[in-house]
Amino acid sequence: MVSPIPSPPPEAELADPSSLETLVSHLVASKRSLSSIEHVLRANEIVTSTRVHLKASVIISSRTSFLRAGINTQLRTLGYVHKHNRAIELEGAEEYREALRTLDDADGRLKGTLNRLRTTMVEASLRPESDSRESLLDFVDEGGVDELLVKAQESANAAQKAHAKLVETNLAFHTELQEIANVLRSSQVPKNEYLLGNEGRYSDVNGSSTSPLPDILQSMEDRAKSMADNLESLVKHFDLCVTAVKHTEGGGDTAQKLTHDLPAGMNVGEEVLGAPSELISEQERQEMLDILAKDADQVEEVVMEIHDHIGELEAQFDTVGTYMSHLEQESSNLATAFKRLDSLGSRLHAFVAQSQVFVMRWDDEKAKISERMEELESLGDFYIGYVSAYDNLLVEIGRRQFMEQQMEKVVQDAMRKLDTLYEEDRAKREAFRDDYGDFLPMDIWPGLTDPPLQFETRPINEVEKVPEISKSVIQRAIRRVEGKA
């Protein structure tokens, strides 16, 4: 990198502008400025490399854009498939929870009915002395209830297992889709970061997402041309310095010495040195010296401008390198995403099939659960009827007790009336025999001496005695049957 041209010492400023010493000082400074050719050559290399990168970026960008669009389309399609599977999963979960709630409700009602059977004691008079059964529940088989519950639970567990498998499959499906989408997002080149700002630097702005390289290359070419123009002005200034020294007394050998070790690739001053000295007028020489003095004051500024340009070019070239790295990384990531998408596509049928398997399995288990629930409801209705029938049995026993009591009253009343009639008849028969028996022959009516007709009451069929149930028990049963208790 070229160092700034040092300012001439104070004594040089006071020296004669046309003296050999002053002209040699200008020549030395001009010679040193010619080393800026390294920056110009480097600028040319940067511009050439950027052109190559631009061509490569067009190819890579076209390929990645096409690939990204295809991957996004496939991802959207797969997203719809996953959304469908997810809907089946959520619908199945809701139906499963509803089936469990209904099953739990039926089980709760049945258990409440069984508990009522358990707490309803059978009257001792209704049980044989050797029978150890005490409650209504002891007279039924609970095994049927347990079997139904076990079968319903087995169906619920099978459905839950199938649903868990679907959830696991959908989660794996979603994870793979999300990872591919993340690769796409991470591979997106942040092109806005490379857009050229108004001040000539690359800043983060909200602009176009197209490639920044054309703008960067244009800026580079402008800078490189400016550097070449500046170098050309430095070369002309150097030639003028050589000419001035050569046309100064004693300056020929000095000019020859100072121009033999110019920077590589810098073939300037040779024609001036090789050409024979032409006589120039004093006026022409003075005009040349005036131009030389004026240009000499601008040499440092021109060198610094070249130095600034190459610094900007290097910064821009770093940006190009970073952009190309991002672009190549994007291409690599998209290739990875495509491979993963291809792998996912080959297994898509498994994800779809799992949802179909769940639907078929759930329909089957749902039908079984519904069947078990109907059986539980039917069994619960039977047990409720069982409790109600027992209460009505107690009411019936009470009714029969009352009817027997009424019949016994009627029989007892009839027996009393028959006994009265019997005694009355017997007394009158005896009185008749006393009054007239001696006068009537015995064979006129053999039945004259018979006693009165006598009756007895007895059941004409054998029935089991009505159990003895207390009135309080029967009254409570009547209230339950009538819904008052």
Side-chain angles (χ1 to χ4, degrees):
M1 185 174 291
V2 177
S3 302
I5 304 298
S7 300
E11 58 272 16
E13 296 179 359
L14 299 176
D16 183 3
S18 62
S19 66
L20 180 61
E21 181 180 359
T22 300
L23 295 177
V24 169
S25 174
H26 290 329
L27 178 60
V28 170
S30 178
K31 176 183 177 182
R32 186 182 298 112
S33 71
L34 295 182
S35 61
S36 297
I37 190 174
E38 297 177 2
H39 295 325
V40 176
L41 294 176
R42 173 58 181 161
N44 184 63
E45 292 177 2
I46 289 175
V47 171
T48 302
S49 297
T50 301
R51 288 195 185 100
V52 174
H53 287 319
L54 176 59
K55 294 179 180 179
S57 71
V58 171
I59 296 173
I60 296 174
S61 294
S62 298
R63 184 172 61 242
T64 55
S65 296
F66 176 78
L67 191 57
R68 181 182 292 276
I71 292 175
N72 280 328
T73 299
Q74 293 299 317
L75 276 180
R76 282 193 294 271
T77 302
L78 293 176
Y80 294 143
V81 174
H82 175 264
K83 184 178 181 180
H84 175 72
N85 283 7
R86 177 66 172 161
I88 292 176
E89 173 193 329
L90 295 177
E91 183 180 357
E94 180 59 30
E95 289 183 355
Y96 176 74
R97 286 192 293 268
E98 182 61 29
L100 285 186
R101 283 194 294 267
T102 305
L103 184 61
D104 289 342
D105 291 343
D107 181 42
R109 289 192 297 271
L110 183 58
K111 287 182 178 178
T113 303
L114 291 176
N115 186 60
R116 185 176 174 185
L117 293 179
R118 185 178 294 106
T119 56
T120 302
M121 297 298 157
V122 178
E123 293 297 317
S125 59
L126 295 176
R127 294 182 280 112
E129 295 182 359
S130 60
D131 196 335
S132 61
R133 295 176 294 182
E134 297 181 352
S135 68
L136 288 180
L137 185 62
D138 295 333
F139 288 84
V140 297
D141 182 14
E142 289 186 81
V145 177
D146 295 336
E147 184 179 354
L148 283 177
L149 291 175
V150 169
K151 289 181 178 179
Q153 190 61 49
E154 287 176 352
S155 295
N157 291 340
Q160 185 181 31
K161 185 177 180 181
H163 186 264
K165 182 63 176 177
L166 178 61
V167 172
E168 180 183 352
T169 302
N170 282 348
L171 180 59
F173 191 10
H174 172 74
T175 299
E176 292 204 41
L177 288 176
Q178 194 63 42
E179 288 176 352
I180 294 174
N182 289 339
V183 170
L184 287 182
R185 282 191 289 269
S186 65
S187 66
Q188 180 69 50
V189 175
K191 295 174 182 174
N192 287 343
E193 296 180 3
Y194 304 102
L195 295 178
L196 188 62
N198 294 330
E199 297 180 357
R201 297 185 180 275
Y202 291 90
S203 57
D204 185 6
V205 296
N206 295 322
S208 172
S209 61
T210 57
S211 171
L213 294 193
D215 291 339
I216 293 177
L217 178 59
Q218 182 62 51
S219 175
M220 285 182 170
E221 290 175 342
D222 292 343
R223 292 183 185 278
K225 184 178 184 304
S226 177
M227 291 172 67
D229 291 342
N230 286 339
L231 180 62
E232 183 179 359
S233 68
L234 291 176
V235 170
K236 289 180 180 179
H237 175 68
F238 178 77
D239 285 342
L240 190 61
C241 288
V242 172
T243 301
V245 172
K246 184 179 178 182
H247 285 81
T248 302
E249 184 179 356
D253 293 339
T254 301
Q256 190 70 35
K257 291 178 182 179
L258 292 176
T259 57
H260 79 282
D261 57 348
L262 295 177
M266 183 61 68
N267 298 319
V268 296
E270 294 181 357
E271 295 182 358
V272 177
L273 290 171
S277 298
E278 296 182 359
L279 295 177
I280 59 175
S281 65
E282 185 62 28
Q283 182 180 356
E284 291 175 333
R285 183 174 182 277
Q286 187 58 48
E287 290 176 355
M288 177 180 65
L289 293 177
D290 291 342
I291 295 173
L292 183 64
K294 181 180 178 181
D295 291 346
D297 292 338
Q298 298 178 359
V299 168
E300 181 177 359
E301 181 181 346
V302 172
V303 171
M304 291 302 299
E305 186 176 341
I306 292 175
H307 181 270
D308 291 342
H309 279 318
I310 194 62
E312 292 290 344
L313 282 172
E314 292 289 358
Q316 288 178 318
F317 194 58
D318 288 343
T319 300
V320 171
T322 301
Y323 175 77
M324 290 303 297
S325 296
H326 285 167
L327 203 60
E328 290 167 359
Q329 185 62 47
E330 177 185 17
S331 178
S332 175
N333 288 346
L334 285 175
T336 300
F338 180 77
K339 290 179 181 178
R340 297 187 65 170
L341 186 64
D342 184 59
S343 174
L344 178 60
S346 65
R347 291 175 283 115
L348 179 61
H349 68 280
F351 294 118
V352 176
Q354 187 59 48
S355 65
Q356 295 173 344
V357 168
F358 168 74
V359 170
M360 291 186 294
R361 185 62 183 272
W362 172 232
D363 286 343
D364 183 44
E365 299 302 335
K366 183 167 56 175
K368 292 180 181 178
I369 292 175
S370 178
E371 182 180 348
R372 302 293 180 267
M373 286 171 51
E374 289 178 2
E375 293 178 2
L376 286 174
E377 291 286 354
S378 177
L379 197 56
D381 291 342
F382 172 77
Y383 287 148
I384 291 174
Y386 176 33
V387 174
S388 176
Y390 178 71
D391 285 337
N392 280 278
L393 173 62
L394 295 178
V395 174
E396 176 64 15
I397 290 174
R399 186 192 66 79
R400 294 188 183 188
Q401 286 180 343
F402 175 76
M403 294 306 295
E404 282 192 359
Q405 291 172 359
Q406 292 300 106
M407 288 180 183
E408 288 176 357
K409 287 181 180 180
V410 171
V411 170
Q412 290 174 1
D413 184 55
M415 288 301 297
R416 283 195 299 270
K417 289 181 179 180
L418 287 173
D419 287 344
T420 300
L421 291 174
Y422 177 81
E423 291 297 329
E424 181 181 351
D425 187 21
R426 185 184 60 79
K428 287 183 177 183
R429 287 186 185 210
E430 289 180 357
F432 179 79
R433 283 195 301 267
D434 290 340
D435 292 339
Y436 306 104
D438 293 337
F439 301 102
L440 294 173
M442 292 298 294
D443 57 353
I444 193 170
W445 179 35
L448 180 62
T449 61
D450 290 341
L453 184 64
Q454 201 168 17
F455 294 88
E456 64 176 355
T457 58
R458 61 180 179 81
I460 62 175
N461 55 343
E462 294 293 333
V463 294
E464 187 174 342
K465 187 178 183 301
V466 177
E468 292 292 336
I469 305 295
S470 66
K471 289 184 179 180
S472 61
V473 172
I474 293 174
Q475 288 300 320
R476 286 195 296 270
I478 292 173
R479 286 196 295 269
R480 287 194 297 270
V481 170
E482 292 177 352
K484 298 180 180 179

